Amino acid sequence: DAKTTQPTSMDCAEGRAANLPCNHSTISGNEYVYWYRQIHSQGPQYIIHGLKNNETNEMASLIITEDRKSSTLILPHATLRDTAVYYCIVRVANYNAGNMLTFGGGTRLMVKP
Amino acid sequence: EAGVTQFPSHSVIEKGQTVTLRCDPISGHDNLYWYRRVMGKEIKFLLHFVKESKQDESGMPNNRFLAERTGGTYSTLKVQPAELEDSGVYFCASSQVLQAQGQFFGPGTRLTVL
């Protein structure tokens, strides 16, 4: 799987949008971008994933650049409960067997009142 | 729908003892994964079951670790004998065969080896 690069930490004001960047310049054509987060003392939680197009769900939006070498996870209205470590992971979506996730250091997002 | 559950939530044992961790995946999920995070390090993959078969055990650190998934339902991860460096949080995750969302994680078992 391609390697990703994320800032170590970020702050965001409560109620504002949190924009978390991720670089994945070596991504290959069949690799998806996945985002997970880990809230303190909990297991990692799936947020969203995408291949080429921008994606949105009830939790977040994912913006992928046209060359697919970077992406941004957007939490439109961050709350204190969004304080967590956010992981950007690139992997092949193997629909037949499933693949392991390779976690990096992630971005520690601190949402402040 | 019940999520992935893990038992126990915490375990404190002495070096040389044996510990068995249990994971109950989401019902119907054929894929089951074990991961762990040791102190100060990143979350690392240990192994992957598809039903009762080990699909990939490349992340298992050594032969003191034994994972089983009898009947393709719950899984156990036994550490025997435990060493100090085995301390950390052990996560289990599961997914359906045809699922793009990836894996659903349990809350983890915090293992402390004294």
Side-chain angles (χ1 to χ4, degrees):
Chain A
D1 292 334
K3 182 176 173 57
T4 63
T5 304
Q6 299 178 253
T8 304
S9 63
M10 292 181 64
D11 290 345
C12 177
E14 187 179 20
R16 305 297 294 270
N19 297 284
L20 291 91
C22 179
N23 287 322
H24 30 80
S25 59
T26 60
I27 192 170
S28 57
N30 64 345
E31 289 182 311
Y32 286 69
V33 180
Y34 284 77
W35 283 83
Y36 283 76
R37 73 180 181 183
Q38 186 178 20
I39 296 171
H40 182 61
S41 297
Q42 298 182 21
Q45 176 190 24
Y46 165 82
I47 301 173
I48 198 168
H49 77 286
L51 181 64
K52 297 181 194 176
N53 299 323
N54 298 336
E55 302 287 343
T56 296
N57 63 20
E58 63 279 4
M59 290 182 68
S61 294
L62 174 59
I63 308 298
I64 303 173
T65 58
E66 192 168 342
D67 64 8
R68 302 211 320 125
K69 292 185 177 182
S70 66
S71 61
T72 301
L73 178 74
I74 301 173
L75 308 178
H77 305 287
T79 70
L80 299 179
R81 287 175 294 185
D82 292 322
T83 293
V85 179
Y86 287 77
Y87 298 97
C88 170
I89 298 171
V90 170
R91 64 185 280 259
V92 174
N94 186 326
Y95 289 89
N96 292 322
N99 289 347
M100 64 178 173
L101 296 171
T102 301
F103 289 86
T107 296
R108 183 172 297 277
L109 176 69
M110 179 73 71
V111 180
K112 298 184 175 180
Chain B
E1 177 183 88
V4 176
T5 58
Q6 294 186 244
F7 181 83
S9 57
H10 294 83
S11 180
V12 180
I13 61 173
E14 294 193 349
K15 176 183 172 181
Q17 290 186 321
T18 297
V19 63
T20 300
L21 314 181
R22 172 170 170 145
C23 168
D24 286 79
I26 293 172
S27 178
H29 282 193
D30 287 337
N31 292 283
L32 187 149
Y33 305 79
W34 284 97
Y35 295 81
R36 76 171 180 177
R37 181 204 295 274
V38 296
M39 186 64 69
K41 300 290 182 63
E42 298 166 355
I43 299 172
K44 294 290 188 185
F45 166 80
L46 295 178
L47 88 160
H48 168 209
F49 284 98
V50 177
K51 298 185 180 178
E52 67 275 10
S53 300
K54 292 177 184 174
Q55 181 79 3
D56 180 356
E57 51 184 328
S58 61
M60 294 288 264
N62 52 61
N63 59 10
R64 295 185 293 104
F65 289 75
L66 175 64
E68 294 181 324
R69 191 182 182 194
T70 307
T73 54
Y74 71 91
S75 174
T76 59
L77 179 65
K78 180 190 289 187
V79 185
Q80 179 182 30
E83 298 289 343
L84 299 178
E85 64 263 26
D86 300 331
S87 295
V89 183
Y90 290 75
F91 295 105
C92 175
S94 72
S95 69
Q96 292 178 332
V97 174
L98 298 177
Q99 187 172 55
Q101 282 84 351
Q103 299 159 25
F104 294 88
F105 283 77
T109 293
R110 180 172 294 277
L111 174 64
T112 301
V113 183
L114 302 176

